[in-house]
Amino acid sequence: MTATAPDAAPEGAGIAEIADATPHFRFFALEVLRTRRLGRSFLRITFGGESLSGFRSGGHDQSLSLFLPPAGREHTALPSTDEDTWFADWRGMPDEERPVMRSYTVREQRRTADGVDEVDIDFVLHGGSSPASSWAGRAVTGRRILAIGPAVAENKSVRFQPPAGTDAFLLYADETALPAAAAILDRLPAGIPVRAWFEIPHEDDRLYLRAPAGADITWVVRDPGAGRERTDRVLDALRTAERPAAGAPYAWIAGESATIRAVRRHFVQDCGIDRRAVRFTGYWRLGATEEQLLAEAYAGRAPDEDPAAEL
Ligand SMILES: Cc1cc2nc3c(=O)[nH]c(=O)nc-3n(C[C@H](O)[C@H](O)[C@H](O)COP(=O)(O)OP(=O)(O)OC[C@H]3O[C@@H](n4cnc5c(N)ncnc54)[C@H](O)[C@@H]3O)c2cc1C
């Protein structure tokens, strides 16, 4: 039941994976234990399942790939979860039966006092009939899905990798990346300045966040119905903010593709931050489904993560 992580690695297994022969990713069977509304747009789903005893989140922005049942089906079923055959088998399924694959973040993994392994995933309910968002909105206890997730904590789906000597953290996230940013804040060391900008659809999407003392967080509430011009509002917030004086800042940026590219350009061109110290990831793109983004990634046209990409 081993697998590569499609959200992170269309090219397949990494060198480390081959070298230590421990599969970094594999399939897990997840069952909905409970749901909880966190804000107007956020729904936390807590999953359990026996296979989670082998789940090893690396924390921070650890992502995983969920397989969600197509409309009209209660549970996810795949013809195979074998490392060598699952992908072709999944792709070969009739459209109306094929589960949708979507990337999400492990907000938290824990073992309860009763020894039950649990994983929280925070879903943005963005409306309409989008498969993942609408599945989450209908989720009830007992629904079963599949995921490709981490079997070792050090894996390449943890993108937040600040170099030693980092002396300030700069974070930008929209609502889809807020779960990842929250998990990053959970683990940041005390004593290093943190400046963060979080873009949310509504006032009541401000979430309670644990953060190191002194962390400076700006909430940017989007105009209702904002389209591409949403980016301008984020850039205004960035331009007017004071940044910590730092010689070796590390920036982590994730969210809608056009906005993250603009934020990256601001940090690199306007602020003079070394582009290798700016980690940026497109979590979604206005007007494109994740199938379309994956198709571009497989075709080798995915500039939304490449530090060498043109600004
Ligand atoms: C590494 C990674 C981690 C992620 N973690 C999370 C997470 O923890 N929580 C989370 O909610 N999302 C997360 N996302 C984003 C999520 O995968 C996308 O939002 C995805 O498109 C949702 O699938 P869908 O089936 O709802 O919509 P799709 O079928 O993929 O898209 C349908 C339409 O909805 C639009 N759309 C997609 N997302 C949004 C949105 N948030 N607001 C408005 N319109 C949207 C698309 O542009 C498209 O037009 C993550 C993405 C990545 C790459």
Side-chain angles (χ1 to χ4, degrees), residues 41-307:
S41 308
F42 293 101
L43 181 79
R44 171 161 301 167
I45 302 187
T46 300
F47 295 94
E50 283 179 14
S51 64
L52 283 179
S53 62
F55 193 90
R56 298 280 180 275
S57 173
H60 300 292
D61 55 348
Q62 174 76 66
S63 59
L64 79 177
S65 295
L66 301 182
F67 293 82
L68 303 164
R73 301 285 164 100
E74 289 197 353
H75 308 295
T76 298
L78 287 176
S80 115
T81 53
D82 180 83
E83 177 180 19
D84 297 324
T85 56
W86 76 266
F87 188 71
D89 289 347
W90 170 69
R91 290 281 285 261
M93 293 174 82
D95 288 352
E96 64 283 5
E97 287 176 25
R98 188 185 312 112
V100 291
M101 181 168 63
R102 291 288 183 268
S103 302
Y104 278 84
T105 302
V106 179
R107 174 63 186 87
E108 192 173 290
Q109 175 186 10
R110 68 187 155 269
R111 180 164 290 172
T112 66
D114 301 333
V116 179
D117 291 294
E118 296 185 347
V119 163
D120 290 334
I121 298 179
D122 293 349
F123 290 80
V124 175
L125 304 179
H126 59 87
S129 56
S130 309
S133 167
S134 50
W135 177 84
R138 296 190 315 269
V140 291
T141 303
R143 289 284 150 88
R144 295 189 301 277
I145 63 168
L146 291 166
I148 295 178
V152 295
E154 279 194 25
N155 63 73
K156 61 194 167 197
S157 293
V158 179
R159 296 162 175 86
F160 182 84
Q161 301 285 354
T166 295
D167 61 1
F169 293 103
L170 305 173
L171 310 177
Y172 161 79
D174 73 6
E175 65 272 32
T176 63
L178 194 54
I184 288 170
L185 287 173
D186 275 348
R187 289 184 171 219
L188 283 185
I192 301 183
V194 180
R195 187 74 180 85
W197 295 263
F198 297 143
E199 185 193 1
I200 46 174
H202 307 286
E203 273 294 339
D204 45 2
D205 285 323
R206 290 168 194 252
L207 302 184
Y208 166 76
L209 301 170
R210 285 184 300 261
D216 191 352
I217 296 173
T218 299
W219 295 94
V220 182
V221 182
R222 192 175 302 140
D223 277 335
R228 294 270 168 220
E229 69 279 12
R230 61 173 64 203
T231 302
D232 297 338
R233 188 160 207 162
V234 171
L235 288 177
D236 284 348
L238 289 167
R239 287 191 185 115
T240 54
E242 268 190 39
R243 283 183 295 111
Y250 177 76
W252 177 91
I253 305 168
E256 198 281 324
S257 289
T259 305
I260 58 136
R261 274 185 269 116
V263 172
R264 173 184 179 240
R265 206 176 302 123
H266 169 73
F267 281 148
V268 174
Q269 287 185 346
D270 303 344
C271 307
I273 299 173
D274 182 343
R275 66 165 68 194
R276 289 164 304 180
V278 179
R279 188 70 208 240
F280 69 109
T281 311
Y283 273 22
W284 64 288
R285 190 195 302 158
L286 261 181
T289 65
E290 197 164 324
E291 280 80 19
Q292 291 167 310
L293 299 182
L294 263 180
E296 289 179 16
Y298 281 103
R301 293 193 309 273
D304 288 351
E305 291 204 45
D306 179 0

